[in-house]
Amino acid sequence: MELTRPESVSDAVASLGNGSVPLAGGTELIPLLRDRIVSAETLVELRRAVPKGVDGTTIGAGTTLGELEVDAQIPEALREACRLAASPQLRAAGTIGGNLLQATRCWYWRLKFPCRLHGGERCHAREGEHREHAIFANDFCASAHPCVPTGASCPSPSCTGCRPRTTGR
């Protein structure tokens, strides 16, 4: 496995693709790599490339949950969500960008059942154990994204007035 450390967003975007995977805090990716759920030929370490910190109404994707939870500029609902998201160690490493993009918590997917997300023909969560999975709009897959609808760092946009904006994905 190779590790690249681009210095800018444009360099990071150019480094992604063809078997490479972005790495920021690593709290999500490292366990997925260890458990062989995700594979990568190259890790693109983003700490130097992605924006970090709070600038007015903009939160950089590289800002950690720990940084957000103590920043007085951040709405209290988001600060509380960051405090409740994980242990202090994970909040110190986990980034807001990684938190928004983390993989599903579906145990069928994580245990590599041949589900639709792994190219299979069915959703095992719809037919089997499905506690904590999506109950609406689950025709294709009952896997709920960790941030929807009440995930740790994604309080309702209606209460925070926030909207994610990206430069590209």
Side-chain angles (χ1 to χ4, degrees):
M1 188 178 300
E2 181 182 342
L3 176 67
T4 63
R5 292 186 169 115
E7 298 286 331
S8 68
V9 172
S10 59
D11 289 345
V13 170
S15 298
L16 292 169
N18 299 323
S20 64
V21 176
L23 170 67
T27 60
E28 171 77 357
L29 181 61
I30 300 304
L32 293 175
L33 288 167
R34 179 197 63 220
D35 295 341
R36 301 186 194 286
I37 295 170
V38 171
S39 61
E41 295 173 17
T42 304
L43 296 178
V44 180
E45 207 262 286
L46 301 175
R47 277 186 260 189
R48 296 182 207 162
V50 298
K52 196 174 182 186
V54 180
D55 182 17
T57 60
T58 301
I59 300 171
T63 308
T64 67
L65 300 179
E67 292 167 334
L68 288 179
E69 78 175 291
V70 297
D71 193 317
Q73 300 176 72
I74 301 300
E76 181 55 35
L78 182 55
R79 290 172 49 202
E80 180 180 359
C82 289
R83 275 192 298 278
L84 298 173
S87 69
Q89 295 87 347
L90 290 175
R91 293 192 315 264
T95 64
I96 193 69
N99 204 309
L100 290 171
L101 295 174
Q102 65 182 290
T104 177
R105 293 294 189 227
C106 177
W107 51 83
Y108 293 103
W109 179 80
R110 288 182 178 259
L111 293 173
K112 293 190 170 182
F113 276 69
C115 68
R116 289 183 173 146
L117 296 179
H118 284 298
E121 297 295 319
R122 59 189 256 211
C123 173
H124 298 279
R126 287 188 73 219
E127 301 165 13
E129 283 294 321
H130 52 268
R131 184 171 169 250
E132 300 174 2
H133 285 79
I135 58 171
F136 299 111
N138 68 0
D139 294 337
F140 178 77
C141 175
S143 166
H145 186 277
C147 287
V148 178
T150 59
S153 65
C154 299
S156 169
S158 64
C159 74
T160 62
C162 300
R163 293 283 186 271
R165 183 175 58 215
T166 65
T167 56
R169 182 174 182 203

